[in-house]
Amino acid sequence: MRNIATLAVFVAVLFGLCIAFFVMPDVPRSQAERRLLAQAPQRSTAAILNGTYMYALDEYMQDQFPLREAFRTVNAVKRLALGRRDTNGYYFVAGHLSSLEFPLNAEAVHRNAAHLNAISQWLFEGLNVFYAVIPDKNYFLAAQNGFPALDYAEMMRIMHHRMGAHTYIDLFSLLSIEDFYRTDIHWRQENLLPVAEQLTRYMGVDLPPPNTYTAHTLFPFRGSFHGHAALPVRPDELTFLTNEYTENAIVYTLLEEGGQILFSRYITVDGERLPLRVYMPELFGGMDGYDVFLAGAQAVMTIEIPNATTNRELIIFRDSFGSSITPLLLGGYAKIILVDIRYISTHLLPTFIEITDQDILFLFSTTILNQNGLFR
């Protein structure tokens, strides 16, 4: 009797999931995984005969399966319960999610550092050039908890060898794991005032006092690690700091419009044209809540500060970490240019950037420096 009841429940659940699959509307994207989900494929005789239809149908059914996120979480928890220390390359320790990042790719670090140094020699000869490296969360979590980790000392030896003609600004000693989101790769802006002070102290500019900032908090922030690990971890709060300089700043980004590449004060998100600002809380509910900071990934941005007390300018070569530290530097400069060479070819830079007597800062995370093929 018990076997019959078990079988009946199993059949009912299976039948219910099948009905739900056909009744429920397709989900366009996965907020957790930060990606678009497969949609129902178009059926045609050619697609059926060459097998592409069945392949697309398989992807579609996997992406649109009912309770998919719940099943991902159950699977991830089950792996840890069975003794696995990570799930899908992600691990949870000391209240933080992180992604396994090892071993050191010395070739990539050499190539990336050489690329940055070549940019400096080509465009910035005679200017004040600085470089800093942002440690990833594994620097504070991995080796200390028995997980494999990068050889950070060797990475920095390579960086100093390639970039040694420029001034190095140490950030490793300023940061701790508490300066990072628990569910994301990035650092928390509200904890970065000492980092901003360290950078500007080397570059010789003054920043406004910490008490001039107003904190604004958004919740819930589920970082990229949260979705990919599929573990039931409490979301973060995302806090951004405003002052008179962030409020009055004029922000431009490089866009292609009507076949022309130009600087615009607007961006288009989901078909809606939005005015570009230092902070964009309306993007918090999008694919990546971290896009609140300077609208996320942009190839080239310029920020002008009309009420600046100086006429100095700064060019920052950065990855996504630069989006949240840059607003804290606005009080020291009248203009900041942000360049992300993952999205624009280096040889195009003179077309869009006028080189005068700016300060230059190369600011990249260890995660980016350890990968091949990202810089263009």
Side-chain angles (χ1 to χ4, degrees):
M1 202 60 190
R2 180 184 299 174
N3 291 339
I4 295 176
T6 301
L7 179 61
V9 170
F10 174 77
V11 171
V13 170
L14 186 63
F15 183 73
L17 289 174
C18 290
I19 294 296
F21 176 80
F22 288 104
V23 172
M24 294 174 61
D26 291 344
V27 179
R29 64 187 182 185
S30 169
Q31 189 76 19
E33 296 175 89
R34 309 284 180 87
R35 69 179 182 89
L36 298 176
L37 297 178
Q39 303 299 298
Q42 295 294 320
R43 192 180 330 171
S44 68
T45 302
I48 293 174
L49 292 177
N50 63 26
T52 56
Y53 175 76
M54 296 306 297
Y55 178 80
L57 183 63
D58 181 60
E59 281 193 331
Y60 165 66
M61 295 181 70
Q62 290 184 52
D63 275 6
Q64 299 296 338
F65 193 79
L67 302 178
R68 179 175 176 275
E69 295 300 333
F71 281 114
R72 290 182 66 241
T73 298
V74 169
N75 185 53
V77 172
K78 179 195 71 175
R79 289 186 180 187
L80 296 184
L82 293 176
R84 286 283 298 272
R85 300 204 66 200
D86 68 279
T87 174
N88 303 318
Y90 296 86
Y91 64 93
F92 180 70
V93 68
H96 280 259
L97 286 168
S98 192
S99 172
L100 293 174
E101 178 78 27
F102 74 97
L104 177 70
N105 187 343
E107 179 186 359
V109 179
H110 271 289
R111 180 177 291 109
N112 290 330
H115 188 91
L116 300 180
N117 191 54
I119 293 174
S120 177
Q121 292 181 349
W122 174 41
L123 295 175
F124 308 127
E125 190 69 34
L127 300 184
N128 295 320
V129 180
F130 307 85
Y131 70 101
V133 175
I134 305 165
D136 68 332
K137 292 172 69 172
N138 292 310
Y139 178 76
F140 308 99
L141 293 176
Q144 299 89 323
N145 292 282
F147 292 95
L150 297 178
D151 186 341
Y152 293 96
E154 176 62 12
M155 172 181 281
M156 294 313 303
R157 188 197 68 78
I158 296 171
M159 290 296 297
H160 297 328
H161 172 70
R162 292 289 187 178
M163 302 286 290
H166 310 307
T167 301
Y168 171 62
I169 306 175
D170 172 48
L171 301 183
F172 283 73
S173 60
L174 289 180
L175 295 167
S176 72
I177 189 59
E178 299 309 317
D179 297 322
F180 294 78
Y181 295 110
R182 292 177 300 99
T183 66
D184 196 66
I185 190 174
H186 294 107
W187 50 10
R188 310 177 65 98
Q189 191 197 52
E190 68 272 26
N191 291 4
L192 298 184
L193 290 174
V195 174
E197 291 171 0
Q198 174 89 324
L199 293 172
T200 53
R201 181 164 54 248
Y202 274 84
M203 295 186 288
V205 298
D206 295 322
L207 292 179
N211 61 9
T212 61
Y213 289 96
T214 301
H216 308 264
T217 298
L218 300 171
F219 181 85
F221 174 53
R222 296 179 174 88
S224 60
F225 291 162
H226 187 280
H228 287 108
L231 291 170
V233 178
R234 181 171 57 88
D236 284 290
E237 293 181 342
L238 184 146
T239 299
F240 60 95
L241 305 178
T242 61
N243 63 7
E244 59 176 311
Y245 300 108
T246 65
E247 293 293 318
N248 294 319
I250 302 171
V251 186
Y252 300 86
T253 188
L254 194 64
L255 292 176
E256 182 177 352
E257 293 185 355
Q260 290 185 321
I261 299 178
L262 46 81
F263 280 99
S264 173
R265 294 187 61 184
Y266 296 86
I267 59 170
T268 301
V269 179
D270 294 333
E272 183 180 0
R273 197 165 185 252
L274 301 175
L276 191 59
R277 305 182 308 284
V278 171
Y279 300 115
M280 302 195 65
E282 63 266 44
L283 301 183
F284 183 68
M287 194 75 82
D288 187 350
Y290 188 73
D291 288 349
V292 165
F293 299 104
L294 290 171
Q298 308 289 333
V300 180
M301 301 187 79
T302 66
I303 308 174
E304 298 175 354
I305 304 90
N307 57 328
T309 57
T310 173
N311 60 358
R312 295 182 63 172
E313 297 184 5
L314 172 66
I315 300 176
I316 305 177
F317 286 78
R318 54 87 179 219
D319 54 28
S320 56
F321 282 77
S323 295
S324 52
I325 187 67
T326 298
L328 304 183
L329 306 178
L330 299 185
Y333 289 93
K335 182 177 182 180
I336 295 180
I337 301 172
L338 296 172
V339 180
D340 194 332
I341 51 175
R342 296 174 298 170
Y343 304 107
I344 185 170
S345 297
T346 299
H347 74 272
L348 294 177
L349 295 181
T351 305
F352 303 108
I353 301 175
E354 181 183 359
I355 309 300
T356 55
D357 60 348
Q358 298 100 331
D359 292 333
I360 312 300
L361 174 62
F362 293 99
L363 180 66
F364 289 95
S365 64
T366 55
T367 301
I368 295 299
L369 294 173
N370 199 51
Q371 296 185 54
N372 268 316
L374 293 183
F375 293 163
R376 298 173 62 182

